[in-house]
Amino acid sequence: LAFVMSVDRKFRPIYDALDAKNNKQALKLCNGILQKAPQTHLAKVLKALALERTGKPEEALEMIQQVRKAQPPVTDTTTLNTLYIVTRTLGKVEEATQCYENALKLQPQNEDLALGLFFLFAREFDFKNQQQYALKMNKQFSKDKYFFWAIASLVLQVPPNVPTHPLLSLSEKMMEKMLKEDKIKTLEELLFYLTITDQQSKPQAGLDLVNKLGDLFKFEEEKLGLEANYLLKLGKYSEAALTFKKLININLDEWAYYVGLFDCIGQSSLSLETTDETKEIIRKNKSQNKRSPYLAEIEFAKRFGTGEGVRTDIEEMLVDYFKTFGTKRCCYLDIKPYLSLLSQSQHLSLCQKLETLIETNITLNRTYQLVNYQKIRRELGFHKTLGKEAVAELVNVLFNQYEEVLPLTTSFEKTDDLPGNDLLILIVLLLENLARSHQPYDVHLHKKTLIECALILEHGLRKTLFDSRLKLALVNVFSSLGSYTQAQAVYDTLEIKHIQHDTLSYLLLNNAVRLGGARETLEVAGEVQRFNSDARKELSELAVQPFRHGSYGKTIEFVAVRDHLVYSHQAAVANTEALYAAVVSRLPDLAAIKTQLLQNVKALVTTEEEAKKLIFNEDLELLKEIGTWEMVRANEGDEALTSATFSRPSSLLLRLLRLRGLVLVLLNCLLSSSSSSPSPSSSFPDLFQSFKALLDQTLQASDDTKISDFDKKVWNLYLRLFQASSHLLTCANSGNVEELDGFRSEYEQIIPAIEAIVKEVSDSKWLSIEKSNIIVQFAAIFLLAISSWDSFLPHLNRKKKKTPNTPSEIAVRFTFIIHGFGSSLFFPCFNFEIPWIHTIFSCTLIVG
C-alpha cells in the first residue's frame, strides 16, 4: 500500500499538468522522474502523451517503441491503458496491441491483461479479433460471459440486411448450445438471442424462445408484445388478435396495440363477432378520455367502414375528437392523416362544426383550439384561396388573439413555449403564401413580405427567448433572404448541442455557397467537425460497456451509431464547405491556401463508392412539424430567393457534394505542381475525367434531380477552367502542340462566358444574392487556378511554344469583369454587401 501511495504521489502532478493542458510542465516532470529512474515505463508513456500534444509525434512514437521493446515486458495495466490512448492518437494502435501480447506471454493467466487486450479490439471495432480473443478467454478462464462476447463479436461482422449470412447461422447455433446447456440466465441474453433470430427473419424461432424463457421477463406486457408481433408475422391472426386485446386491456392508450389488432382483422377473415367485439373494446375505452381509443375509432372506420355513410361517420368522429382534445397541441397532428378521407363538400362542413366548439372567452384553451382549427383549415386548402383582404383580416384576428392571451402567460417559465407562438407561425405562412402567389409575381413584394415575417417572428422572440420553433422559422426566413449573418445569429441562439450539430446544421451548411458567409461557414462547419471527432472518440470508449454489463444487443446499436457518425452526409458537407470557406478567407495568402488544401483534401467525398456509404442524419421532420417546410419547398428553385438545397433529392445532393469536392481536389493538384517537379499533377487527367463524367451525369439528370439553368452555366465555367488547365499541363509535360491549341480554344471561350453570366446577373431587374455569391466563389477558384499556370510556362518556353496569354494578363482582364460586377453588389433593400467580394479584389494579387 505504501508503494502504491508513493507511486500515486509521484505521478499525480503529471496527471494534473496534463489535465490542465500544461504539456510543457508535464514534460519537465516526466524528465525529472526518468533522470532518477530511466526504466519507469509509466513516465515514458506520459511523456509520449505530452510530446504528442506539443506537436512532436515522431518523438512520442520513439518513447512508445522503447516501452514496447522493454524486457521484461510491461504488465502494468495503467501503463498499458495510457499507452493505448497515445498510440490511438498517433494512428499506431498496433504498438499497443504488441505491448499487450508481450505482457500476456509473460503472464498468460492474468485476466486483467486479457480483458485489456479484448477491450482494445472493441474500442477499435476490430470485430474479428474480438471474436477470436473472446473464444480464447472463454477456453482459458472458463467463464460463460466470454462465450457470449464471442457470439456478439460474430454478429457484429454481419453486414446490415443480409439475413442469409453464414455468420448469423453460426451465431444462432452457438446460442442454441448455450440454451441446451441452460446457460441463458438473463433477459438481456434472451433479447440478444431474439435479435439474432429476427435478423434472419425467423419469427417461429423467436416465438418459441419467448414461450420457453418467458419467465425472464419482468413485465407481462413486454412478453405479450413480442408474442403478438411474432404471431402476426406468422399469419396466426386469431391468436395474435387475442394477444393484442390482452395488451389493450393492460395499456388502453398504447396506439401500436390497436394498429396490431386492426392488422390482424384486415389480414384475415375473422368473424363478425370479433369485429363487433373490437368496436365494443374501443367504445368502452373511450370513456377513459384517452387519445388512442378515439383515434382507433377513426382508424377502424377508415379500414373497415363500408357504404356511403363512412365519410359522414369519420367527419363526426373528427368533430368528437376535436371536442375532447382540441385544447391539446397534438390535436392537429393526430387527425391530420384522416382529413384526406373527407370529400370536398365536407371540408367546409367540418370547419363550420369545429368553429362552434371554440371557446368565446380569452383563455389558454381557446388559443390551443384556435391554433388547431386554423392548422386544419390550412391543411384543407382554405388559406391558399384567401384574397388579400381576407388574409389581412385573418392576420389581424390571429395577431389580436396572440396579444390578448399574453397576460395569461405571465406565470410561464422563460423556457416554456407560449401557446400563442403557433399563431405567429401561421401568420408568417399566410403572408408568405400570399406574396408568393401574387399575379404577376413580384419579387420585391415577396422580399418585403419576408422582412415583415422576420419582424413578426422577432416580436414573438422578445416575449419568449427560448422557443425553438420561432427561431427555426426565422432561420428559414433569413436564409431565403440570403442573409447568412442574421441566419447564423439566430441559429447560434438555438444553443445546438451534441448530435444536433449533425441533424440541424444543414439549415445553414447546405446553403453555404449560396449564402456566402466564409466566417459563418467556418464556425458552423467547425462545430460539426468537432462534434463528429469527439463523439467518435467517446463512442469507442462506450463500445466496451455492453460487454461489461452483459447488454449484448446494445453492441449492434453502438455500431449503428458509429456508422451514422463515420458515414454522416452532414459531416462530409461540413468538411467540404469548411475547406471552401478556409480557402476563400485566406486569399491572397497562397502558401496558407496550399497548406489548407494539402491537409484536408483527403477528407473530401469524391468517388461514387464513398458517396454510397453516406447516411443522411438530417432532421427534416422538424421543419415539417413546425410548418415552415411548406415555405421551404415552395421557394425552392425560385431564382429570386436563396434555394433550399437540403430539400432536394438525396441523389442530387450526393452528386453536388462530389462535384464540389472534386473542384478542390483538382485545384490542389494544380497548386501543388511546380516547374521543377510537375509529377504531383500526374493524377490531374484522371481526376478531371471523373469530374467531367459526373458533371455530364448531373447536367443530364431528370426533372426531379436537375439543377437550375444558372447553376449549369457556372458548372460549365468550372469545366472549361479545368479543361484549359488540363491542356496546359499536358502540353507542359508532353510537348504536344495540339494540347496548346486546345488550351487556346478553351481560354477564348471562358472569358466571354464569364462576361455573359456576370452581365446576366448585373442587368437583371433584381440582383440575386445567391447568384452573386456563386459567382464570387467561382472567381476565387478561377484566380487560384490560373495562378498555377505560371509553373507550366517555363516548360513551354523551353520548348518554344507561344502561349496565348500570361496568367497576369488573364487576371487583369478578369479583374475588370469582377470589379464592374462588384460595384453593383450593393443591396439597398437589405443594407449589406456580398461577404466575399472584397476578398476577391485582393485575390488578384496572387497572379499579378
Side-chain angles (χ1 to χ4, degrees), residues 475 483-493 508 519-521 523-524:
V475 169
S483 175
Y484 205 147
T485 303
Q486 285 88 339
Q488 196 217 9
V490 178
Y491 178 86
D492 287 344
T493 64
L508 293 180
R519 178 183 59 81
E520 292 86 351
T521 298
E523 289 181 13
V524 178

Side-chain angles (χ1 to χ4, degrees), residues 638-650:
D638 185 342
E639 58 182 2
L641 303 170
T642 300
S643 300
T645 55
F646 54 77
S647 64
R648 296 176 180 177
S650 58

Side-chain angles (χ1 to χ4, degrees), residues 10 59 90 110 279 317 384 454 519 541 820:
K10 186 187 297 182
E59 295 180 37
L90 293 171
N110 189 325
K279 288 182 180 179
M317 293 173 189
K384 292 183 179 179
R519 178 183 59 81
E541 291 302 315

Side-chain angles (χ1 to χ4, degrees), residues 5-18:
M5 291 294 291
S6 67
V7 169
D8 183 68
R9 285 195 299 270
K10 186 187 297 182
F11 291 101
R12 178 54 51 194
I14 301 176
Y15 284 114
D16 291 341
L18 289 169

Side-chain angles (χ1 to χ4, degrees), residues 367-654:
T367 304
Y368 287 121
Q369 287 177 325
L370 186 61
V371 167
N372 286 317
Y373 169 67
Q374 289 297 342
K375 285 183 176 181
I376 291 169
R377 283 182 59 84
R378 183 172 185 81
E379 180 66 22
L380 293 174
F382 288 108
H383 283 187
K384 292 183 179 179
T385 60
L386 295 177
K388 184 177 180 181
E389 292 75 14
V391 168
E393 183 180 352
L394 180 55
V395 165
N396 286 332
V397 170
L398 297 178
F399 193 78
N400 289 335
Q401 172 65 23
Y402 170 79
E403 292 292 331
E404 289 170 352
V405 81
L406 279 178
L408 303 179
T409 62
T410 53
S411 62
F412 280 47
E413 296 291 336
K414 288 183 178 181
T415 54
D416 290 341
D417 293 342
L418 302 186
N421 288 350
D422 285 304
L423 296 171
L424 297 182
I425 293 177
L426 283 167
I427 290 171
V428 167
L429 294 173
L430 277 165
L431 293 174
E432 198 277 335
N433 179 72
L434 179 66
R436 184 174 4 97
S437 59
H438 183 274
Q439 295 298 328
Y441 176 71
D442 185 345
V443 62
H444 297 297
L445 172 64
H446 199 169
K447 291 188 175 183
K448 178 183 175 183
T449 302
L450 286 173
I451 293 174
E452 292 173 354
C453 292
L455 293 172
I456 291 168
L457 294 170
E458 290 276 15
H459 175 74
L461 286 171
R462 290 193 185 97
K463 309 296 181 182
T464 173
L465 302 177
F466 299 97
D467 193 320
S468 59
R469 294 166 303 147
L470 292 183
K471 292 179 179 180
L472 287 167
L474 193 54
V475 169
N476 289 157
V477 170
F478 281 138
S479 295
S480 294
L481 287 170
S483 175
Y484 205 147
T485 303
Q486 285 88 339
Q488 196 217 9
V490 178
Y491 178 86
D492 287 344
T493 64
L494 285 165
E495 297 183 358
I496 300 297
K497 292 182 176 66
H498 306 302
I499 193 65
Q500 290 175 322
H501 287 299
D502 201 48
T503 60
L504 291 179
S505 58
Y506 70 88
L507 292 168
L508 293 180
L509 272 189
N510 289 35
N511 284 324
V513 62
R514 289 165 154 69
L515 293 172
R519 178 183 59 81
E520 292 86 351
T521 298
L522 282 171
E523 289 181 13
V524 178
E527 290 293 340
V528 176
Q529 291 171 322
R530 277 189 291 276
F531 158 73
N532 195 274
S533 175
D534 293 345
R536 287 162 72 171
K537 291 177 183 176
E538 292 174 13
L539 199 62
S540 69
E541 291 302 315
L542 293 173
V544 305
Q545 299 307 316
F547 293 101
R548 290 185 189 277
H549 301 291
S551 303
Y552 308 115
K554 296 294 182 184
T555 58
I556 300 173
E557 296 179 24
F558 274 110
V559 172
V561 172
R562 191 279 307 257
D563 288 345
H564 276 264
L565 291 173
V566 172
Y567 303 116
S568 166
H569 169 260
Q570 200 53 38
V573 171
N575 291 336
T576 303
E577 298 306 329
L579 190 50
Y580 266 102
V583 167
V584 174
S585 63
R586 282 167 172 75
L587 290 170
D589 189 344
L590 192 56
I593 291 171
K594 287 182 178 180
T595 302
Q596 280 290 325
L597 288 169
L598 195 61
Q599 291 175 347
N600 297 291
V601 289
K602 290 182 180 179
L604 303 180
V605 172
T606 57
T607 67
E608 186 175 4
E609 292 73 21
E610 292 171 332
K612 283 181 178 178
K613 294 178 182 178
L614 294 183
I615 300 172
F616 285 81
N617 302 326
E618 291 87 336
D619 183 5
L620 303 180
E621 293 300 319
L622 189 59
L623 293 187
K624 294 177 183 178
E625 183 181 335
I626 295 170
T628 52
W629 179 258
E630 179 184 341
M631 180 177 73
V632 168
R633 291 290 297 179
N635 289 339
E636 183 181 344
D638 185 342
E639 58 182 2
L641 303 170
T642 300
S643 300
T645 55
F646 54 77
S647 64
R648 296 176 180 177
S650 58
S651 57
L652 176 59
L653 292 178
L654 291 176

Side-chain angles (χ1 to χ4, degrees), residues 197-213:
T197 58
D198 289 347
Q199 283 188 321
Q200 298 177 90
S201 301
K202 292 184 175 181
Q204 185 61 57
L207 182 61
D208 293 342
L209 283 170
V210 171
N211 291 331
K212 186 170 184 177
L213 300 174

Side-chain angles (χ1 to χ4, degrees), residues 714 717-718 721 750 754 774-782 814:
V714 175
L717 290 179
Y718 280 111
L721 170 64
I750 191 170
I754 294 171
I774 292 172
I775 290 175
V776 168
Q777 191 171 108
F778 168 76
I781 302 297
F782 179 85
F814 182 74

